[in-house]
Amino acid sequence: MKSIFDNVSYSCSKIVTESYSTSFSLATKMLAPSIRPHIYNIYGFVRFADEIVDTFHAYNKKELFDNFESELKAAIEAEISLNPILNAFQHTYHTYNIPYHLVDSFMKSMRMDLTKHEYRTDAEYKEYIYGSADVVGLMCLKVFVKGDDMQYESLKDSAMSLGSAFQKVNFLRDLKADFEDLNRAYFPHANLMELDEKSKEKIVQEIKSDFAKGYSGILHLPAEAKFGVYTAYKYYYKLLKKLQRTPSKEIKNARIRVPNYQKFGLLAKSYVNYKLHLV
């Protein structure tokens, strides 16, 4: 029965999420059961594409990425794939009418990571952020609003801002790995070899502006999605504040983290705020 295969595919996406990101997995668990599997499906897809360009150094990454993209297109067209991650994603894609241009923009940004190592202009930077983060927020938003196009349009800008904020926090946290291991520098107008407090603070304020726009949208999300997205927002904002307090020299030499006990503390506070209708 195909339903068994689909259940296996969904389970694979959940395993990918839980294995690669405890923070995102924790936030996803706070979503309503009706939409939770579809967010796992989106994450599984974007994570596999990202892993190809970021970690499979011993293999022909371009060939792997080309094959993955071909399988993705075939899965969407046929509405099935023997790759369980793509099978799960195509089901979510069709269930919520995710526009293909969002998927295409994401794959375009991932492909940039195969060859592009530096983003010198604001235009290049914004294009990469849009494809690597904003469209992922929009895919999730499609699930959150359950096909309500009017609600989607009204929350579109804030979802993109929140996606940007999350991605930029990741960039700032992963400066060392991106620069030393992958030879990448995402922030334009910042010398990452000599990152100083002034440059870091400029980046932090840019991210805070994105968070403010994103938070305004969280307030208007459907109840099924609000608590989960708010939890993710609180975690990433906590991480940003920790990065802001960390001297720029330390950011360049270590990966800053939020300990698990603080994550669970954030979850508890977020739940209280949510139940008291402070969100």
Side-chain angles (χ1 to χ4, degrees):
M1 292 175 63
K2 185 173 180 294
S3 60
I4 296 176
F5 178 64
D6 287 339
N7 287 336
V8 169
S9 298
Y10 274 50
S11 296
C12 287
S13 295
K14 182 181 179 183
I15 290 169
V16 168
T17 308
E18 293 175 339
S19 299
Y20 278 99
S21 178
T22 55
S23 304
F24 189 85
S25 177
L26 183 64
T28 303
K29 284 181 170 66
M30 301 305 112
L31 299 170
S34 60
I35 60 174
R36 194 183 304 155
H38 294 285
I39 302 304
Y40 288 139
N41 293 349
I42 292 172
Y43 183 89
F45 157 61
V46 301
R47 171 51 64 186
F48 268 30
D50 193 52
E51 284 302 298
I52 293 171
V53 300
D54 278 0
T55 63
F56 298 162
H57 307 309
Y59 305 91
N60 186 328
K61 291 194 279 188
K62 182 182 181 303
E63 185 177 308
L64 287 173
F65 194 84
D66 288 344
N67 291 341
F68 185 74
E69 188 166 37
S70 295
E71 290 177 27
L72 166 66
K73 291 177 179 177
I76 289 174
E77 184 176 342
E79 299 188 24
I80 190 173
S81 174
L82 292 182
N83 178 325
I85 296 299
L86 292 179
N87 185 59
F89 176 71
Q90 68 78 22
H91 190 261
T92 294
Y93 172 91
H94 289 293
T95 299
Y96 292 97
N97 296 313
I98 294 173
Y100 186 74
H101 69 83
L102 298 181
V103 180
D104 192 49
S105 292
F106 171 76
M107 294 297 284
K108 183 179 178 182
S109 282
M110 291 300 97
R111 187 175 289 278
M112 287 181 190
D113 278 336
L114 290 172
T115 56
K116 195 168 181 62
H117 301 292
E118 193 171 358
Y119 293 81
R120 296 179 179 274
T121 68
D122 290 330
E124 289 178 336
Y125 176 57
K126 288 177 181 177
E127 180 185 11
Y128 181 82
I129 290 288
Y130 174 77
S132 67
D134 294 5
V135 299
V136 179
L138 293 177
M139 287 186 225
C140 292
L141 181 61
K142 275 286 185 181
V143 175
F144 296 155
V145 301
K146 297 181 178 178
D148 187 325
D149 290 335
M150 187 176 296
Q151 194 172 22
Y152 175 80
E153 289 299 324
S154 70
L155 295 173
K156 188 176 177 181
D157 288 343
S158 60
M160 290 170 61
S161 293
L162 199 59
S164 290
F166 290 170
Q167 181 72 299
K168 292 172 187 177
V169 169
N170 286 336
F171 287 165
L172 191 56
R173 178 194 62 189
D174 297 336
L175 274 183
K176 177 179 169 64
D178 285 339
F179 192 70
E180 294 183 4
D181 301 338
L182 300 174
N183 192 30
R184 293 182 196 150
Y186 291 106
F187 294 112
H189 318 303
N191 183 353
L192 302 186
M193 287 289 287
E194 300 176 7
L195 183 69
D196 56 21
E197 289 302 311
K198 183 178 179 181
S199 298
K200 187 193 77 175
E201 188 58 27
K202 183 178 179 182
I203 292 169
V204 167
Q205 292 307 317
E206 176 187 323
I207 299 172
K208 283 187 174 181
S209 176
D210 287 330
F211 269 127
K213 295 173 187 173
Y215 181 75
S216 67
I218 293 175
L219 300 176
H220 301 286
L221 282 172
E224 295 90 338
K226 185 182 286 187
F227 180 45
V229 179
Y230 179 65
T231 300
Y233 161 83
K234 291 292 288 184
Y235 164 73
Y236 273 95
Y237 203 87
K238 172 80 172 180
L239 182 54
L240 178 63
K241 289 196 289 186
K242 190 167 185 177
L243 287 163
Q244 188 176 21
R245 293 193 303 267
T246 303
S248 54
K249 278 187 178 181
E250 288 186 33
I251 291 176
K252 288 187 295 182
N253 295 317
R255 192 174 192 263
I256 308 302
R257 299 176 182 273
V258 174
N260 284 338
Y261 76 89
Q262 290 186 4
K263 290 178 185 177
F264 289 112
L266 281 172
L267 176 60
K269 289 179 183 177
S270 298
Y271 183 72
V272 170
N273 288 341
Y274 177 72
K275 296 305 280 186
L276 292 177
H277 303 290
L278 300 176
V279 182

